[in-house]
Amino acid sequence: RNWALVGAASLAVGGKLLSEVSSTFACGPRAVARASPPSALQKGKVAATFASATATNLAGISVGATIALGVGIAAAGRSQRSQVAARVVRGAPSLLQVLEQKKLLSFAEGQKLLSAAESAGLGIQTVEQLGLLKFAEKNKLLTTAENLVTNPSTPFTLLIGSLFLGGAAFTLATAEQVDFLNWVLVGALGAPALVLAIAALVIFGLTSGTIKTRNFSRLEKVTTYSSIGNLGSFQQTEGFRDSTLLQTLEDRGILSFIEENRLLTLAGSLVNKPLTLTQSLGVLSTVEGLKILSIVESTAADNWGPFNVSSAGLVLAPLALALFILNPFGLGLPLALALGLPALALIAVGIGISAFSPPQPMK
């Protein structure tokens, strides 16, 4: 039914446009036949008038588009300063899962976008130098983008907004008397309509066919205080909360930690052109093919996920130590290394994943 409404609105706008064009050119041939050929002076006046009107119209549209841009930026800043906690829609995939399913990481690698960025002077440390990590974390830009992109209703909502604004702009542009203010309003309404239409198409193409491949829910206990009665009481409730990896990066302040300690700048100083090296080694396509990002995201969100990873290492480590001490058949050292190294690796991975576990909710 929603798409039927969209189609009906599109047909209405198209019918209005067709009727206007038809009424404009209906009497064209007869009028031309009755009119006498214009002189050169008349042609010059018509051209000058047309050029002046066109310049005025374009100026009005530009002013309107600039006003719309300023209002949009101000509204975005106001909404971000409100710091409203938003979560991914239940059942929707995370943004990392969308990137993996649409193979955007391997696309960036195949198109050599990383090396092109470094060749243009945009290194791995550029985001630190510009303060973009702390800015994104403070204003919740990652979670906002994730919620907007992964919400199934976003393309339809944007398309409806685009049709509404575009229809209003078309009505103003085709009015009987159009002055400079009309063209300002046309620009103020038409520019957002175009942006919303493009965004709807891009988001629809990005998320169509994607599904939630891994769970990233976490069982949490929340303690609340109720002031009912003379003394009041504490109540504890349990519930599942979705927490994606991008949300955790912002909630735990990991982006600010990276920027304040200049870790990306350190990596850029240790390795020559790290982005180009990452691209040449095929790291992005490997991570995408093995679903490493979604696995880390799901494991970190699980209450026992990091421990489950480290548990195998905690079992193998004592066995490796026992083999080293007992030295059976003189093979104690090789056997200890064969078990001990994977054990240490599993323990390290579990500890590393625990650093990306969601923080405890505020009580």
Side-chain angles (χ1 to χ4, degrees):
R1 189 176 64 181
N2 294 335
W3 288 111
L5 292 175
V6 174
S10 301
L11 289 176
V13 174
K16 174 67 175 176
L17 178 60
L18 182 60
S19 63
E20 293 292 336
V21 174
S22 300
S23 62
T24 300
F25 292 99
C27 301
R30 291 193 298 269
V32 172
R34 292 193 300 266
S36 58
S39 63
L41 180 60
Q42 290 176 334
K43 290 182 179 180
K45 289 182 178 181
V46 170
T49 303
F50 178 78
S52 177
T54 303
T56 303
N57 298 345
L58 293 177
I61 294 175
S62 301
V63 171
T66 304
I67 293 175
L69 178 61
V71 172
I73 294 175
R78 183 180 180 86
S79 63
Q80 293 302 330
R81 285 192 296 270
S82 63
Q83 299 294 326
V84 177
R87 298 292 172 183
V88 172
V89 176
R90 177 72 64 175
S94 66
L95 185 58
L96 295 180
Q97 292 180 1
V98 171
L99 295 179
E100 289 179 344
Q101 294 179 49
K102 288 297 184 176
K103 300 187 181 302
L104 294 181
L105 298 179
S106 57
F107 174 80
E109 185 176 273
Q111 299 298 317
K112 302 186 182 303
L113 298 182
L114 298 183
S115 59
E118 282 188 332
S119 300
L122 301 176
I124 191 175
Q125 70 280 359
T126 304
V127 291
E128 282 184 351
Q129 297 171 353
L130 298 177
L132 297 180
L133 296 180
K134 295 183 69 173
F135 178 80
E137 179 182 286
K138 179 182 178 181
N139 295 280
K140 304 295 183 181
L141 297 184
L142 296 181
T143 52
T144 300
E146 183 172 52
N147 298 332
L148 181 66
V149 171
T150 58
N151 192 330
S153 64
T154 295
F156 178 74
T157 303
L158 295 178
L159 185 59
I160 290 297
S162 175
L163 290 175
F164 177 78
L165 295 176
F170 177 78
T171 302
L172 291 173
T174 56
E176 293 183 0
Q177 292 186 359
V178 182
D179 54 10
F180 180 78
L181 179 60
N182 282 59
W183 290 114
V184 170
L185 295 177
V186 168
L189 297 174
L194 180 60
V195 172
L196 291 179
I198 295 175
L201 293 176
V202 171
I203 293 177
F204 178 78
L206 182 64
T207 59
S208 60
T210 58
I211 59 174
K212 186 177 182 179
T213 56
R214 289 182 177 273
N215 186 35
F216 43 82
S217 298
R218 184 179 183 86
L219 181 63
E220 294 179 339
K221 296 181 179 180
V222 180
T223 302
T224 57
Y225 175 77
S226 177
S227 59
I228 300 177
N230 295 329
L231 299 178
S233 61
F234 289 93
Q235 296 180 349
Q236 192 175 68
T237 58
E238 290 186 350
F240 286 95
R241 177 175 68 93
D242 286 343
S243 185
T244 66
L245 187 59
L246 296 181
Q247 292 171 352
T248 302
L249 291 177
E250 292 180 343
D251 294 340
R252 296 188 70 93
I254 296 177
L255 300 179
S256 296
F257 177 82
I258 293 174
E259 184 173 302
E260 291 172 356
N261 292 275
R262 300 294 179 183
L263 297 184
L264 297 182
T265 302
L266 177 62
S269 62
L270 296 177
V271 180
N272 183 31
K273 294 186 176 182
L275 295 179
T276 303
L277 179 62
T278 301
Q279 176 181 281
S280 60
L281 294 177
V283 174
L284 295 182
S285 57
T286 302
V287 168
E288 179 183 270
L290 297 177
K291 311 292 185 184
I292 292 178
L293 293 178
S294 58
I295 291 175
V296 171
E297 180 179 60
S298 178
T299 305
D302 188 0
N303 295 73
W304 293 95
F307 176 77
N308 292 335
V309 174
S310 300
S311 59
L314 295 175
V315 173
L316 294 177
L319 293 178
L321 181 60
L323 290 174
F324 178 76
I325 295 175
L326 298 177
N327 193 22
F329 307 105
L331 300 175
L333 180 59
L335 293 176
L337 291 176
L339 294 179
L341 293 179
L344 294 177
L346 290 173
I347 294 174
V349 170
I351 294 175
I353 292 178
S354 66
F356 297 97
S357 297
Q360 293 296 324
M362 297 181 63
K363 298 182 179 180

